[in-house]
Amino acid sequence: MSNDKGYVEPGQDFQRDTNYIEDRITADGSSGWPVEVGRYRLVVARACPWANRATIVRRLLGLEHAFSMGICGPTHDERSWTFDLDPDGRDPVLGHERLQEAFLARDPQYPRGITVPAMVDVPTRAVVTNDFAQMTLDFSTQWTAHHRAGAPELYPEHLRAEMDEVMQRVFTEVNNGVYRCGFAGSQRAYDRAYTRLFTALDWLAERLADRRFLMGDTITEADVRLFTTLARFDAVYHGHFKCNRQKLSEMPVLWAYARDLFQTPGFGDTIDFPQVKRHYYVVHRDVNPTQVVPQGPDTANWLTPHGREELGGSPFGDGTPPGPVADGEEVPAEHGAGGSVSV
């Protein structure tokens, strides 16, 4: 299962299952899982917005050397994500064919959803945590000894109280809000979800009208969390999830903000548009029974000028952007902005 996991009672709202393995990898090891270079493997899928957060934060902080990354294919069945992108259909480090194997190694009777992102303990090949929200905050706060020189402070202590409020609203109203629209069990539930989503997007547009990023002049975790939904909006959520008051490209402030981030190293270079579309349109058979994947939209507009520099600030402040994408982790050029729309 993906992080789309949840349920809809007939005629009711979509309810997300948020019951994750909440173990943490900590600097002092008090959790039982100490920070240790080379011990863990981050398992993601390019298609998943929740996993996309982890790929972005790992890259921004320069943690590629600290823990490796395995990439599942864009589709999955009812059992779990699979490593079908690897030459022999197995993750080369863990040896698993399915992410489910890592969860069953942890608990042979594991009863819940098999989700990405997941941090897996390489020696035991067992999952440590799939708590996506805490995971990226821990990348910022627990792995600091292994951050690259010039890495941004994505969860600055003096902003945390306000950031937590902003991120909670982004999660409930936007990240989860698009799903609430897409999986609504009745017209009434959909209408409520639609209103909530666009109310929140209007609030975000107002907030971003006079500040370059959500918390001010530099990027933070809050921007990462909003970006992964915005990057999928026109390709998937506008049509597939019926979030169609406007396309993102028709919302001037949010569209410029999203392009600013997309063109920042660490953001757009993690987006694989064909995989995103294939995941949603193929896996969500209840929403798209034919599994036909649309050809559009054209993604070349993601590389057009955004003009957000006029607001001042810079993505990395006094720091520096990350270097080139690690070998083997590149998104194919034809899958990014301006590339082929084929799937």
Side-chain angles (χ1 to χ4, degrees):
M1 298 176 68
S2 72
N3 297 63
D4 311 344
K5 68 192 181 81
Y7 56 91
V8 181
E9 297 292 341
Q12 301 301 313
D13 296 336
F14 169 74
Q15 302 293 323
R16 181 172 297 282
D17 179 359
T18 56
N19 196 359
Y20 299 104
I21 300 174
E22 296 180 347
D23 285 14
R24 296 174 60 191
I25 299 168
T26 55
D28 63 8
S30 60
S31 62
W33 301 104
V35 164
E36 186 178 324
V37 170
R39 177 171 174 177
Y40 305 100
R41 185 160 175 82
L42 171 66
V43 177
V44 301
R46 295 282 189 201
C48 174
W50 319 95
N52 195 182
R53 299 177 177 191
T55 61
I56 292 171
V57 172
R58 173 177 175 267
R59 176 148 158 64
L60 293 177
L61 298 178
L63 289 171
E64 293 94 336
H65 73 286
F67 49 85
S68 61
M69 186 169 75
I71 305 175
C72 297
T75 62
H76 58 77
D77 57 21
E78 65 281 356
R79 289 173 60 192
S80 84
W81 296 91
T82 56
F83 293 100
D84 50 286
L85 299 179
D86 291 303
D88 60 354
R90 288 185 180 274
D91 180 89
V93 172
L94 302 173
H96 295 325
E97 291 182 344
R98 293 175 170 273
L99 180 57
Q100 181 187 45
E101 295 171 60
F103 283 76
L104 295 179
R106 170 72 183 264
D107 176 2
Q109 304 301 320
Y110 184 76
R112 303 193 294 274
I114 310 297
T115 65
V116 289
M119 288 290 277
V120 179
D121 180 47
V122 174
T124 62
R125 303 193 302 167
V127 69
V128 175
T129 180
N130 64 336
D131 186 351
F132 66 90
Q134 186 61 48
M135 188 185 300
T136 48
L137 297 181
D138 284 345
F139 290 174
S140 282
T141 62
Q142 303 301 310
W143 291 82
T144 51
H146 306 290
H147 290 180
R148 65 179 177 86
E153 193 173 358
L154 295 177
Y155 195 44
E157 197 160 357
H158 69 285
L159 292 177
R160 287 180 190 176
E162 183 184 1
M163 270 187 72
D164 289 345
E165 290 182 5
V166 170
M167 292 191 298
Q168 181 62 26
R169 187 168 183 181
V170 167
F171 170 72
T172 60
E173 305 304 298
V174 180
N175 301 146
N176 199 42
V178 293
Y179 286 89
R180 198 181 292 113
C181 288
F183 292 119
S186 70
Q187 186 68 50
R188 183 180 179 188
Y190 166 75
D191 291 345
R192 285 197 302 263
Y194 179 97
T195 298
R196 284 180 63 177
L197 171 64
F198 283 98
T199 296
L201 290 175
D202 289 342
W203 169 73
L204 287 163
E206 183 177 350
R207 181 180 180 91
L208 289 163
D210 58 0
R211 68 177 85 190
R212 189 163 176 187
F213 304 106
L214 280 174
M215 302 309 300
D217 287 341
T218 59
I219 55 172
T220 64
E221 168 101 11
D223 298 295
V224 175
R225 295 187 179 199
L226 178 56
F227 172 78
T228 60
T229 294
L230 296 183
R232 289 158 175 77
F233 201 91
D234 287 3
V236 175
Y237 303 141
H238 178 270
H240 183 59
F241 278 175
K242 308 179 186 71
C243 302
N244 63 352
R245 189 189 77 178
Q246 294 152 288
K247 295 177 181 177
L248 175 66
S249 57
E250 296 167 346
M251 294 182 257
V253 172
L254 290 179
W255 175 226
Y257 164 79
R259 279 178 291 154
D260 190 2
L261 290 175
F262 190 94
Q263 294 169 31
T264 298
F267 286 85
D269 52 32
T270 70
I271 302 297
D272 187 313
F273 286 111
Q275 286 199 27
V276 166
K277 291 190 296 182
R278 183 161 181 78
H279 169 70
Y280 284 91
Y281 285 100
V282 171
V283 171
H284 297 162
R285 298 184 187 184
D286 48 346
V287 179
N288 185 42
T290 65
Q291 298 180 286
V292 171
V293 182
Q295 287 287 335
D298 185 356
T299 57
N301 55 359
W302 279 99
L303 299 180
T304 57
H306 52 76
R308 297 283 290 179
E309 304 94 336
E310 297 176 6
L311 294 173
S314 63
F316 298 99
D318 294 332
T320 58
V325 177
D327 289 345
E329 296 182 5
E330 306 93 341
V331 172
E334 66 273 17
H335 285 201
S340 170
V341 296
S342 64
V343 294

